[in-house]
Amino acid sequence: RLSTLPSSQTIGATLALPAARIHTQTRQLHNPTFEIETELAQTRRDATMDKIVPLASTCRVATPHDAVNNSECAFTFHTPYTTDDGIVVNLSTFVGTVENLALSDPEGGPDEALFVRIVKRRVEKMSTDEEEGSGEKNNEEKTNESESSSAVDGAGVTKLGVGVEGGFAAEDDKFETSSTHSVVLLRRKTGGSGGCERVAELPYTDETKSGFPTQVALGVDSVLNHAGTAVQQDLKAWELDDEPKPVSKYAEGLPFVDNGVKISPDPSQWKCQTSGDTENLWLNLSDGYIGGGRKNWDGSGGSNGALDHFMETGKKYPLVVKLGTITEDIDSVDCYSYAPDEDGPVKIPNLAEMLEKRGIKIAALQKTVKTTAELEVELNATYAFDAITENGAHLVPVSGPGLQGLQNLGNSCYVNSVVQMLLGGNVPELSSRYGVAAGGDVTSHPLLRGVSPKGASLDLLCQTAKLGCALTSGTFAGPVPDSAVVTDATSTSTDPKYRLAPRMFKHCIGRDHADFRTNQQQDAPQFLQYLFEKLDRAELGAGAARLPPEGDASSVPVSSGLFSFKTSARILCGADGKVKYKESAPETVLSLRIPMEKAKKDEGAAKMDEDDDDSAPEQKRQKSEEGDDGGEEKEEEKEVPTLSLLDCLDSWSATHSLDDLRWPHLGNAVHPATQETRFGNFPRYLIVQIQRYELGPDWTPRKLEVNIDVPAEIDLNDLKSSGPKDGEDLVPEESEGGAAPSGPSIDEGALGQLMDMGFGMNGCKRALTKVGGSDVEAAMNWIFEHNADPDFNDPLPEDDAPGVAAAEAGGAEGGVDEGVVMSLVESLGCFTSDQVRAALKTTDGAADRAADWLFSHMDDLDGAIAALESKSSGAEGQSPSSAVAPIEDGNGKYSLVGLVSHIGKNTGSGHYVAHLKKDGKWVIFNDEKVALSETPPLQHAYMYLFQRTDSVGAPNGSY
């Protein structure tokens, strides 16, 4: 026994501590001032509580079905980590905001409300030695919000894993989260000044919660323990990609062992019956055994008690439920089947009945731990994929206004790249409309004031302004990291205080789109055009209160107007030499085909020159450095051809032949023609998309191996249409009025099949027009024969477009082509003509977008159509194309200011990165990593952003 006694120094320290405490307590006991101060503090607390109690009845208890915004402000990117004030969450609406915007409802609403304030700090964990010598612990509530295991530094890595013994150090191994909560009573300020005043605030801890009214305490706990809107949206996005959980075949006839085991409603009484663990616990629904979760292959994870028990009982009791996830929402409860033929998450319809037999009443339970799915989403969102690479370590990182990175939400790099290009400061007009000046107040933007906190997350103008303010202000930009690559968890780029996750923006813009609402990779140019369409509609419906016109203007210009251009086609009839000019609808992206036939010709010519000249440069005969065997002949590396942007422009504007074109002025006779395309105007900003993808022999998209030389400046003035020339014999305009449709009706189902194979819409329409409109196989054969034609992806001439003439002749009802309506009804097979007609109206008659709209609103199609009809008489229902938007024009000289590159075999996978020119220097935006670029990939980009040189330094004041 003597050998186990502490040393004399330890005994002295142990005895000294209670003595000091006794002395302090004695001093306090005989100190009248201390007693008075204590009584005054209690009196003040009671007075504050008296202000809170009358509003207790307004507090609600959040259920799993409620959207609880407990991790981010709905108006700004403030989070519980950003400032010492954190965010406040309304205990009635469950919307989190900064304090200043908590009651900013333009329609009125209550003048005061109760909120829970959530403040978090990331603090570095102390080592064991530091903990032993640290004295009394901080009385802040510290919660390590992870279920992680041990950590090691990267230098000693022996296993391929994160957060496991011998693996890479995880962030949770080096940091923990310090959380503080309080209940706040806020009141709207009077006098029209806006904002809120703090009436009362009391700390909310395990020790003080019993002093609050029961309804307040239940409401606060439900908000703090809720998964939150962010995780719910991520879960929904991942679930769209995965198969739904099946109903377990063992649920209905599951054996029940009547052994008298009852489960306590107190979570502190739950523990693994194998190891004594109190976390990650699973209840066997047959015999009431509580065991730990699975043990991972590397030794991390749970105790494996639940699975071991299943094996030890002869595999007779396969169904388990995770304690702490049980609520009234049975579908959200974490259930698992250990049965070999299921072995995965399952649904158990009769779960409530099974739990009641063990004394568990689900109506009285609240969710207190994260489900397995939530933990997986969290891991996907926080794992740094670049942590084990050194790519880009030589780059110089930058941070500040216009240099703010964005977190990748899981294949959301296409969103990040596009919004950096539009809202990051390179388009001053959009920065003026949706951003603030460097260092400006991100909470005072006018577009944030016209919407209530409840509606802010689904208001596109509000969410765009939220994102624009964050990118331009620098408010959330952290310290400049040591490296452009995240190499460990101590990097400032992993600090939640400085991380911007554009989750609300992505959900708001993509929630009605079949593709953009998922976490799958998407095509950046397609998203850009969809964003323009949604923004234009929102801006047209905003009204003068939110977007006041400039000066005497009657309306505000839409954002897409900065990029809009028209093209003019000059079509020469081969029969009589008459000419007609056709102007296209406004476009926002110039899509250029790569003339690979020119690359092959140039390559052949270069090869001939090389054969004739023995002194050709050695780089033209690139060899592989190593062969499989030193004695084997080294294989010659494939040389990548190089073309210029001017080659692509020449191909776009070259004279093309048109076969079998019908001419109304010649009695609808069929004659060949030639066509050349020119710009109708030069927009302030020109976005150029290079068509780098084609369909391979196996019908899968593949990337063209070609370099495109893009100059820093281009002059397009020679490509400007001058209109009819003197002496030209024009096709009589009156001859085109009532002509019958010259082309066959295109079957939308066939069009969709061809587009799913990777072909562009114009090429698919051209192919179907040539083969009668519906024969997919014949159209495919035509495509393989003609996909190299210079005009393959050009828009069809108007006379060749099915349905156009019919509409002109009066065959359209309410602006909708009835031929397209019937075609969609037949091809889709599950929608009525009225539903299709409504979809076509809201998508400006575009059949592909109408089909997309119908399928994305199937959950409540009638309600969506009713909402459209109710808005059709107002400005909000006005389509962008129906508004007269001014088209800018100017000199055709442009400067390159940005580009978006894609890494991968096709646009449905890979990664997007943006490069933007800032103050004369190129900067790379690779999600959260922002750094000076040494060699921007000018030859390999997918989209290029040019600015008209006469507009540099002279932004359009109408925005």
Side-chain angles (χ1 to χ4, degrees), residues 628-929:
D628 294 336
D629 191 350
E632 294 183 2
E633 185 178 355
K634 297 179 181 180
E635 296 183 358
E636 186 174 348
E637 288 186 357
K638 183 176 181 180
E639 186 173 350
V640 178
T642 299
L643 294 173
S644 69
L645 179 64
L646 294 179
D647 291 330
C648 299
L649 286 167
D650 288 343
S651 176
W652 171 78
S653 61
T655 300
H656 302 153
S657 297
L658 302 176
D659 300 326
D660 303 330
L661 189 64
R662 295 185 182 274
W663 294 92
H665 74 288
L666 296 178
N668 223 26
V670 176
H671 295 287
T674 58
Q675 172 183 305
E676 60 182 29
T677 305
R678 295 290 185 268
F679 285 98
N681 68 291
F682 291 127
R684 182 172 288 257
Y685 301 93
L686 179 64
I687 299 175
V688 177
Q689 174 195 2
I690 301 297
Q691 298 174 11
R692 291 187 174 273
Y693 301 90
E694 67 175 4
L695 205 62
D698 57 352
W699 291 23
T700 58
R702 67 179 181 183
K703 196 169 188 175
L704 294 174
E705 295 185 11
V706 59
N707 298 328
I708 305 294
D709 282 336
V710 179
E713 295 185 352
I714 57 175
D715 188 346
L716 302 179
N717 282 304
D718 291 340
L719 298 180
K720 180 74 173 288
S721 173
S722 57
K725 301 179 178 61
D726 292 339
E728 281 186 336
D729 191 3
L730 301 179
V731 173
E733 294 183 7
E734 62 271 10
S735 300
E736 303 184 36
S742 59
S745 176
I746 292 178
D747 183 280
E748 291 298 327
L751 179 63
Q753 291 183 50
L754 292 175
M755 293 182 64
D756 287 343
M757 298 175 189
F759 299 111
M761 179 185 294
N762 291 332
C764 296
K765 286 183 175 180
R766 188 179 297 276
L768 287 169
T769 301
K770 298 296 183 183
V771 299
S774 60
D775 191 332
V776 176
E777 184 176 353
M780 280 300 308
N781 293 331
W782 189 93
I783 286 174
F784 282 125
E785 293 177 6
H786 296 85
N787 61 8
D789 292 353
D791 63 340
F792 177 74
N793 282 305
D794 291 348
L796 272 68
E798 190 167 329
D799 282 351
D800 216 19
V804 172
E808 293 174 354
E813 178 183 331
V816 175
D817 186 347
E818 289 301 308
V820 178
V821 172
M822 298 312 299
S823 177
L824 279 179
V825 171
E826 293 175 4
S827 59
L828 299 179
C830 54
F831 301 104
T832 67
S833 58
D834 289 337
Q835 292 171 336
V836 171
R837 193 174 291 109
L840 285 168
K841 285 181 180 179
T842 193
T843 56
D844 300 331
D848 54 339
R849 286 171 29 222
D852 187 23
W853 187 91
L854 287 167
F855 283 113
S856 63
H857 290 82
M858 285 188 68
D859 292 342
D860 186 18
L861 185 56
D862 292 336
I865 292 175
L868 288 176
E869 292 174 349
S870 67
K871 295 187 294 184
S872 60
S873 58
E876 192 170 343
Q878 185 180 18
S879 66
S881 62
S882 63
V884 180
I887 299 294
E888 284 200 48
D889 198 6
N891 191 280
K893 293 183 178 180
Y894 285 89
S895 298
L896 181 64
V897 295
L899 51 102
V900 173
S901 307
H902 177 259
I903 306 166
K905 294 182 178 180
N906 57 69
T907 56
S909 61
H911 184 60
Y912 284 96
V913 175
H915 286 76
L916 301 174
K917 210 167 190 179
K918 304 279 187 177
D919 297 326
K921 296 181 179 179
W922 283 101
V923 178
I924 179 175
F925 291 82
N926 184 5
D927 291 332
E928 292 184 271
K929 293 187 295 183

Side-chain angles (χ1 to χ4, degrees), residues 19-89:
R21 286 178 177 167
I22 293 171
H23 175 72
T24 302
Q25 292 171 357
T26 303
R27 177 173 52 83
Q28 293 172 350
L29 190 63
H30 298 287
N31 187 345
T33 303
F34 176 81
E35 293 178 357
I36 293 173
E37 290 176 351
T38 302
E39 291 177 0
L40 288 175
Q42 184 60 43
T43 301
R44 286 194 295 268
R45 177 178 175 84
D46 291 343
T48 302
M49 186 65 75
D50 289 342
K51 299 176 182 178
I52 292 175
V53 169
L55 291 177
S57 60
T58 65
C59 298
R60 295 171 51 221
V61 178
T63 69
H65 295 289
D66 286 312
V68 178
N69 188 10
N70 55 12
S71 61
E72 180 181 305
C73 172
F75 294 100
T76 71
F77 278 97
H78 286 91
T79 71
Y81 294 93
T82 309
T83 67
D84 292 338
D85 290 329
I87 64 172
V88 292
V89 181

Side-chain angles (χ1 to χ4, degrees), residues 427-753:
V427 182
E429 291 82 0
L430 295 186
S431 298
S432 173
R433 173 169 291 184
Y434 292 108
V436 294
D441 183 5
V442 298
T443 67
S444 61
H445 195 283
L447 289 175
L448 305 182
R449 297 288 180 176
V451 61
S452 68
K454 188 71 173 176
S457 64
L458 297 181
D459 185 278
L460 182 57
L461 295 182
C462 175
Q463 291 306 312
T464 306
K466 170 181 176 178
L467 187 54
C469 291
L471 294 179
T472 56
S473 67
T475 300
F476 306 97
V480 178
D482 296 331
S483 169
V485 170
V486 181
T487 54
D488 57 47
T490 62
S491 171
T492 53
S493 64
T494 66
D495 191 336
K497 183 176 181 179
Y498 305 113
R499 303 190 78 181
L500 262 65
R503 183 176 287 104
M504 287 190 188
F505 175 81
K506 182 178 182 293
H507 175 71
C508 181
I509 192 75
R511 62 194 176 99
D512 292 332
H513 194 279
D515 295 325
F516 299 138
R517 63 179 177 174
T518 71
N519 270 1
Q520 296 176 347
Q521 187 66 276
Q522 305 298 336
D523 186 43
Q526 182 186 0
F527 174 75
L528 172 67
Q529 291 174 305
Y530 183 73
L531 174 60
F532 278 146
E533 180 183 330
K534 298 282 283 188
L535 268 182
D536 288 354
R537 290 183 180 277
E539 290 167 347
L540 289 172
R546 297 190 69 186
L547 280 177
E550 186 74 16
D552 297 332
S554 58
S555 62
V556 296
V558 294
S559 293
S560 66
L562 295 166
F563 308 86
S564 294
F565 63 93
K566 293 182 178 181
T567 59
S568 177
R570 180 182 182 272
I571 304 174
L572 176 65
C573 178
D576 59 5
K578 291 184 182 293
V579 178
K580 67 177 178 180
Y581 288 85
K582 290 293 183 182
E583 189 177 69
S584 72
E587 302 176 60
T588 53
V589 176
L590 177 64
S591 185
L592 297 180
R593 187 184 70 88
I594 299 177
M596 291 301 293
E597 65 278 0
K598 177 176 174 56
K600 293 175 182 177
K601 290 180 181 178
D602 293 346
E603 186 178 345
K607 181 65 176 176
M608 292 178 62
D609 292 342
E610 183 180 336
D611 292 340
D612 294 339
D613 185 3
D614 293 337
S615 61
E618 188 63 27
Q619 58 264 28
K620 290 187 178 181
R621 304 187 185 93
Q622 295 180 5
K623 305 286 186 178
S624 59
E625 295 182 1
E626 297 181 1
D628 294 336
D629 191 350
E632 294 183 2
E633 185 178 355
K634 297 179 181 180
E635 296 183 358
E636 186 174 348
E637 288 186 357
K638 183 176 181 180
E639 186 173 350
V640 178
T642 299
L643 294 173
S644 69
L645 179 64
L646 294 179
D647 291 330
C648 299
L649 286 167
D650 288 343
S651 176
W652 171 78
S653 61
T655 300
H656 302 153
S657 297
L658 302 176
D659 300 326
D660 303 330
L661 189 64
R662 295 185 182 274
W663 294 92
H665 74 288
L666 296 178
N668 223 26
V670 176
H671 295 287
T674 58
Q675 172 183 305
E676 60 182 29
T677 305
R678 295 290 185 268
F679 285 98
N681 68 291
F682 291 127
R684 182 172 288 257
Y685 301 93
L686 179 64
I687 299 175
V688 177
Q689 174 195 2
I690 301 297
Q691 298 174 11
R692 291 187 174 273
Y693 301 90
E694 67 175 4
L695 205 62
D698 57 352
W699 291 23
T700 58
R702 67 179 181 183
K703 196 169 188 175
L704 294 174
E705 295 185 11
V706 59
N707 298 328
I708 305 294
D709 282 336
V710 179
E713 295 185 352
I714 57 175
D715 188 346
L716 302 179
N717 282 304
D718 291 340
L719 298 180
K720 180 74 173 288
S721 173
S722 57
K725 301 179 178 61
D726 292 339
E728 281 186 336
D729 191 3
L730 301 179
V731 173
E733 294 183 7
E734 62 271 10
S735 300
E736 303 184 36
S742 59
S745 176
I746 292 178
D747 183 280
E748 291 298 327
L751 179 63
Q753 291 183 50

Side-chain angles (χ1 to χ4, degrees), residues 230-424:
V231 174
Q232 286 178 329
Q233 291 175 356
D234 286 350
L235 279 173
K236 183 65 176 176
W238 287 111
E239 286 169 359
L240 289 169
D241 302 336
D242 297 334
E243 293 294 328
K245 288 191 295 184
V247 175
S248 175
K249 67 173 72 173
Y250 300 96
E252 186 173 351
L254 187 71
F256 178 78
V257 181
D258 191 5
N259 52 11
V261 173
K262 299 292 183 182
I263 306 301
S264 170
D266 183 4
S268 64
Q269 302 297 317
W270 302 339
K271 61 182 179 180
C272 175
Q273 294 176 231
T274 301
S275 65
D277 289 349
T278 57
E279 294 182 349
N280 193 15
L281 301 177
W282 297 77
L283 171 67
N284 190 291
L285 293 173
S286 292
D287 61 4
Y289 184 91
I290 298 178
R294 283 180 185 262
K295 181 184 293 184
N296 296 328
W297 61 273
D298 58 1
S300 65
S303 65
N304 221 54
L307 178 58
D308 289 344
H309 179 72
F310 167 69
M311 302 297 290
E312 292 166 0
T313 53
K315 302 181 180 181
K316 294 185 295 184
Y317 313 134
L319 300 185
V320 293
V321 59
K322 187 174 185 180
L323 294 175
T325 69
I326 302 171
T327 67
E328 287 185 284
D329 184 10
I330 299 299
D331 289 339
S332 69
V333 179
D334 218 354
C335 300
Y336 199 93
S337 173
Y338 288 132
D341 57 344
E342 291 183 334
D343 196 18
V346 294
K347 292 182 180 179
I348 304 177
N350 54 341
L351 179 64
E353 303 169 14
M354 296 182 182
L355 293 173
E356 192 168 357
K357 295 178 181 179
R358 296 294 174 193
I360 299 177
K361 296 182 178 180
I362 62 174
L365 293 180
Q366 291 188 29
K367 182 172 172 292
T368 58
V369 301
K370 297 175 182 178
T371 65
T372 305
E374 290 166 359
L375 292 171
E376 288 177 358
V377 167
E378 187 178 79
L379 178 63
N380 275 287
T382 58
Y383 179 70
F385 289 96
D386 290 324
I388 58 175
T389 68
E390 292 297 328
N391 291 334
H394 59 285
L395 301 180
V396 178
V398 289
S399 180
L403 301 170
Q404 172 73 58
L406 293 173
Q407 185 179 346
N408 193 318
L409 306 174
N411 286 328
S412 65
C413 51
Y414 70 95
V415 176
N416 294 348
S417 299
V418 168
V419 298
Q420 289 283 12
M421 182 175 70
L422 296 182
L423 303 176

